[in-house]
Amino acid sequence: MSPHPYYNPELHGPYERIDIGPLDLEDGGQLPQCTLAVAVHGQLNAAKDNAILVPTWYSGTSKIMEQVYIGPGRPLDPAKYCILVVNQIGNGLSTSPHHGAKPWAFPKVRIGDDVRAQHRLLTEHFGIRRLALVFGGSMGAQQTYEWAVRYPEMVERAAPLAGTASNTEHDTLFSETLCEALTSDPGFAEGRYGSAAEVAAGLRRHARLWTVMGWSTEFFQQGRHRALGFDSMNDFVDRFMSGYFGPMDPNNLLAMAWKWQRGDVARHTGGDLPAALGRIRAHTYVMPISHDMFFPPADAERECHHVPRGVFRPIECIDGHLGLFGTDPAAIAQIDANLRELLALPA
Amino acid sequence: MSPHPYYNPELHGPYERIDIGPLDLEDGGQLPQCTLAVAVHGQLNAAKDNAILVPTWYSGTSKIMEQVYIGPGRPLDPAKYCILVVNQIGNGLSTSPHHGAKPWAFPKVRIGDDVRAQHRLLTEHFGIRRLALVFGGSMGAQQTYEWAVRYPEMVERAAPLAGTASNTEHDTLFSETLCEALTSDPGFAEGRYGSAAEVAAGLRRHARLWTVMGWSTEFFQQGRHRALGFDSMNDFVDRFMSGYFGPMDPNNLLAMAWKWQRGDVARHTGGDLPAALGRIRAHTYVMPISHDMFFPPADAERECHHVPRGVFRPIECIDGHLGLFGTDPAAIAQIDANLRELLALPA
């Protein structure tokens, strides 16, 4: 099999693909051979107490987390911590629809499945028993909350960025419009397309919806897209947004979207969200982005109130949700300052 | 020709359809017989100085303006004012694509065309020379600004609600996603569909996008859709939003969307928006809605600064843009209070 033109180590590496064996799934079925792609930055110390877990967001891979959040002198410093960036199932690097013979028949994977798979990877493969920090944005925040609720004794600190513990109805509908943009393309053919190029129109609509909801009205009003080097909105959509999403595999995106829509730690407590959040023992810095149009600060703040050691730290940034990509250095500086403070707290 | 199942007097009347003759269009071409549907509430006085003009928004007709904003004891009181609600071109009651033999070939109509048509109607048919107030929401706000800039000597007071004088790039892209939802449906067939039912999937996607952007995250977070009588988000989308948009004609909607995207009073001044707004003589109460996701208060406030007698009066309402429909009585009370105060100002 020739390497995929997008999901490959040249674009997203280095990473190691580690087989963790068969994974039974919460919604039934099984991944007979679950492989997680992991990028490791830094070394585990002898006590194995310097591990930081970084899960990934929708469409993202370990590469963007490395580029934006990890580096010498940063809070996530490989000289001090062993930072494990684990690609989520379905993202194209870990086990994903496009790897199989029938991508359209990939089983439904939940946030909880990812977190159980990551737990097995960390405990059995790396021998890790404590996490100094779990830090993730968007769907990575969903996984961060899931970790803190499911394995409270293992997570010392948690930093969910631009995401929620329980997906809202509004956000679920927004992500449904993303799915529909793809599936309504006749070229999608119920997932049986030959290549992503056959779903180009759908991928382009998907990129436009991301442009409308992913940034913010203020981002465009202040001409931030021009400041990033694009002449016009069309140029921004065509070159940047469609350029980003265009090469991705639609079945992979849909697997992640399905998971995103159903992220909810209250599944542990029969739908009682305060009870689920009440299980968290981690020092938790809750960081929504001020201009996020689908994970707004108000939603994050409501959840934060139920986290025993929750601290609400909104990030001021007109770039909105996609400020996650590091387009606004001032936002990254705020995130770094929060992470530095959080990591300094005694476990 | 049998009456249209949606665009008819039984659902939207009473209104009078008045032929104003041929209308040359700003983008070229002509409406050979421009007919405006007008609902008149109250009587013109002898001096003809008690006229209020109310234009309509995207997808709306004169009926919703009557139901939500006009009534005895209200600021828009038919006992005191002669309130003329003029349906915009393309909305299904005034001259619209679906009236013609080739709906897909309907010429491009701009906000400025509507306002010139309305001006001809008011001056030539009704003999009106002064307007006590122009008041409109969303695309009605675009027409309100256009009136105040184009005919400053005629407009004594202006109240643009939840809309802007110059459409933003973000809003233009949002409305493009609405257009794409319709035109990407194979049943749309480049506008040559037989009936709206053939574009049902596209109309449903269009309704979903309106649900995501038309209300607000806070609206759904606080369960306002349930309070309005719907069991779930799906129920709300299916019965309320798709129920509302489903019977409309896609070519009509697209004609209005094209107009909406290009609303810009700076066309009068070579692109200089402050100069255009500086022409306004009217007392102008600028009323954005606090949680509007595509006409946010910040955009309205920027424009307001350039209106010589502009007063910024944001409406606090978590229903977002579609609070225009009167779903939140407290928002309507704020709007009424502003209109009452505005109408009390000496011309």
Side-chain angles (χ1 to χ4, degrees):
Chain A
M1 195 170 76
S2 63
H4 190 280
Y6 183 74
Y7 304 111
N8 63 59
E10 295 212 355
L11 286 179
H12 298 281
Y15 53 78
E16 186 183 359
R17 300 190 80 233
I18 302 175
D19 179 9
I20 62 158
L23 184 71
D24 291 328
L25 300 170
E26 293 186 2
D27 265 53
Q30 187 190 64
L31 296 177
Q33 186 186 23
C34 181
T35 302
L36 296 180
V38 189
V40 181
H41 305 271
Q43 305 285 330
L44 263 184
N45 61 16
K48 295 193 173 183
D49 65 0
N50 70 331
I52 290 178
L53 172 66
V54 180
T56 63
W57 57 59
Y58 177 82
S59 85
T61 72
S62 45
K63 196 66 187 173
I64 186 81
M65 301 312 294
E66 171 191 340
Q67 291 171 331
V68 179
Y69 296 101
I70 298 171
R74 308 277 303 273
L76 273 54
D77 187 341
K80 187 168 178 189
Y81 295 103
C82 177
I83 304 155
L84 302 106
V85 190
V86 184
N87 290 275
Q88 68 165 299
I89 296 166
N91 87 330
L93 302 189
S94 293
T95 296
S96 294
H98 89 277
H99 292 125
K102 293 183 179 176
W104 54 87
F106 194 75
K108 300 304 186 196
V109 178
R110 285 185 177 268
I111 295 285
D113 296 317
D114 267 285
V115 167
R116 286 187 303 110
Q118 291 162 11
H119 182 266
R120 194 191 298 174
L121 174 80
L122 296 187
T123 56
E124 299 183 7
H125 187 87
F126 290 95
I128 293 168
R129 296 289 157 196
R130 305 279 292 173
L131 286 167
L133 171 68
V134 183
F135 164 63
S138 199
M139 285 187 72
Q142 292 183 309
Q143 293 165 73
T144 299
Y145 276 118
E146 181 74 21
W147 261 98
V149 169
R150 189 181 278 265
Y151 305 113
E153 75 294 341
M154 190 165 166
V155 181
E156 295 175 348
R157 299 169 195 82
L161 171 68
T164 53
S166 179
N167 210 44
T168 65
E169 285 187 295
H170 181 269
D171 194 50
T172 300
L173 188 70
F174 163 54
S175 37
E176 187 64 23
T177 67
L178 295 173
C179 296
E180 279 197 323
L182 299 172
T183 60
S184 64
D185 187 336
F188 177 71
E190 296 183 330
R192 290 170 161 81
Y193 53 86
S195 77
E198 295 170 25
V199 198
L203 281 161
R204 191 182 152 81
R205 287 201 295 277
H206 172 273
R208 283 194 171 171
L209 291 174
W210 268 108
T211 311
V212 169
M213 290 287 290
W215 307 93
S216 77
T217 56
E218 198 61 21
F219 172 86
F220 293 106
Q221 186 60 259
Q222 297 195 18
R224 293 270 303 132
H225 52 315
R226 288 184 233 283
L228 293 174
F230 301 91
D231 294 339
S232 65
M233 178 63 103
N234 279 340
D235 188 35
F236 185 71
V237 170
D238 290 345
R239 285 202 291 138
F240 190 72
M241 298 301 287
S242 290
Y244 173 69
F245 286 112
M248 296 185 192
D249 182 84
N251 283 319
N252 287 359
L253 291 172
L254 290 165
M256 288 183 278
W258 191 94
K259 193 196 295 182
W260 166 10
Q261 294 179 306
R262 289 160 184 80
D264 186 4
V265 297
R267 286 165 51 81
H268 293 286
T269 49
D272 186 338
L273 181 61
L277 294 170
R279 293 186 179 181
I280 298 177
R281 296 190 200 166
H283 292 288
T284 304
Y285 274 27
V286 174
M287 296 186 277
I289 295 177
S290 61
H291 285 62
D292 196 316
M293 293 182 75
F294 51 97
F295 291 117
D299 287 354
E301 189 169 19
R302 271 183 207 98
E303 293 183 342
C304 185
H305 286 144
H306 300 293
V307 179
R309 296 201 277 183
V311 177
F312 186 63
R313 288 291 172 91
I315 306 302
E316 187 61 34
C317 175
I318 66 167
D319 291 7
H321 190 72
L322 296 180
L324 287 174
F325 281 83
T327 45
D328 177 6
I332 301 301
Q334 295 171 61
I335 295 165
D336 269 9
N338 286 330
L339 291 177
R340 198 179 302 279
E341 188 181 297
L342 174 60
L343 283 165
L345 293 176
Chain B
M1 196 171 75
S2 63
H4 190 279
Y6 183 75
Y7 304 111
N8 63 58
E10 294 211 356
L11 286 179
H12 298 281
Y15 54 78
E16 188 182 357
R17 300 190 80 233
I18 301 175
D19 179 10
I20 62 159
L23 184 71
D24 291 328
L25 300 171
E26 292 186 2
D27 265 55
Q30 188 190 63
L31 296 177
Q33 186 186 23
C34 180
T35 302
L36 296 179
V38 188
V40 182
H41 305 271
Q43 306 283 331
L44 264 183
N45 60 15
K48 296 193 172 184
D49 65 0
N50 70 330
I52 291 178
L53 173 66
V54 179
T56 63
W57 58 59
Y58 178 81
S59 85
T61 73
S62 45
K63 196 65 188 176
I64 186 79
M65 301 311 295
E66 172 192 340
Q67 290 171 331
V68 179
Y69 296 102
I70 299 171
R74 307 278 301 275
L76 272 54
D77 186 341
K80 189 169 177 189
Y81 294 103
C82 177
I83 305 154
L84 301 107
V85 190
V86 183
N87 291 274
Q88 68 166 299
I89 296 165
N91 87 331
L93 303 188
S94 293
T95 296
S96 295
H98 90 276
H99 292 124
K102 293 183 180 176
W104 55 88
F106 194 75
K108 300 304 185 195
V109 178
R110 283 186 178 269
I111 295 285
D113 296 317
D114 267 283
V115 167
R116 287 186 303 108
Q118 291 162 11
H119 182 265
R120 194 190 297 173
L121 174 81
L122 296 187
T123 57
E124 299 184 7
H125 187 87
F126 289 96
I128 293 168
R129 297 289 155 194
R130 306 280 291 174
L131 286 166
L133 171 69
V134 183
F135 164 63
S138 197
M139 285 187 72
Q142 292 183 307
Q143 294 165 72
T144 299
Y145 275 117
E146 180 73 22
W147 260 97
V149 170
R150 187 181 280 265
Y151 305 113
E153 74 294 341
M154 193 165 164
V155 180
E156 295 175 347
R157 300 170 195 83
L161 172 67
T164 54
S166 179
N167 210 45
T168 65
E169 286 186 294
H170 181 269
D171 195 49
T172 300
L173 188 70
F174 163 55
S175 37
E176 188 64 23
T177 67
L178 294 173
C179 297
E180 277 198 324
L182 299 172
T183 59
S184 64
D185 187 335
F188 178 71
E190 297 183 332
R192 290 170 162 81
Y193 54 86
S195 77
E198 296 170 25
V199 198
L203 282 161
R204 191 182 152 80
R205 285 200 295 274
H206 172 274
R208 281 194 172 171
L209 292 173
W210 267 108
T211 310
V212 168
M213 290 287 290
W215 306 92
S216 77
T217 56
E218 198 61 20
F219 173 86
F220 292 107
Q221 187 59 261
Q222 297 195 17
R224 292 270 303 133
H225 52 314
R226 288 185 233 280
L228 294 172
F230 300 91
D231 294 339
S232 66
M233 179 62 102
N234 279 340
D235 188 34
F236 185 70
V237 169
D238 289 345
R239 285 202 292 136
F240 190 73
M241 298 301 287
S242 290
Y244 173 68
F245 286 111
M248 296 185 191
D249 182 83
N251 283 317
N252 287 359
L253 292 172
L254 289 165
M256 288 183 277
W258 191 94
K259 193 196 295 180
W260 163 12
Q261 293 179 307
R262 290 159 183 82
D264 185 5
V265 298
R267 285 165 52 81
H268 293 284
T269 50
D272 185 339
L273 181 61
L277 294 171
R279 293 186 179 182
I280 297 176
R281 296 190 200 166
H283 292 288
T284 304
Y285 275 27
V286 175
M287 296 186 278
I289 295 176
S290 60
H291 286 61
D292 196 317
M293 292 181 74
F294 50 97
F295 290 118
D299 287 352
E301 189 168 20
R302 270 183 207 98
E303 293 183 342
C304 185
H305 287 143
H306 300 293
V307 178
R309 297 203 276 184
V311 177
F312 186 62
R313 289 290 172 90
I315 306 301
E316 186 62 33
C317 174
I318 65 166
D319 291 7
H321 191 73
L322 296 181
L324 288 174
F325 281 82
T327 44
D328 176 6
I332 301 302
Q334 295 170 62
I335 296 164
D336 269 11
N338 286 330
L339 291 176
R340 198 180 301 280
E341 187 180 297
L342 174 60
L343 283 164
L345 293 176

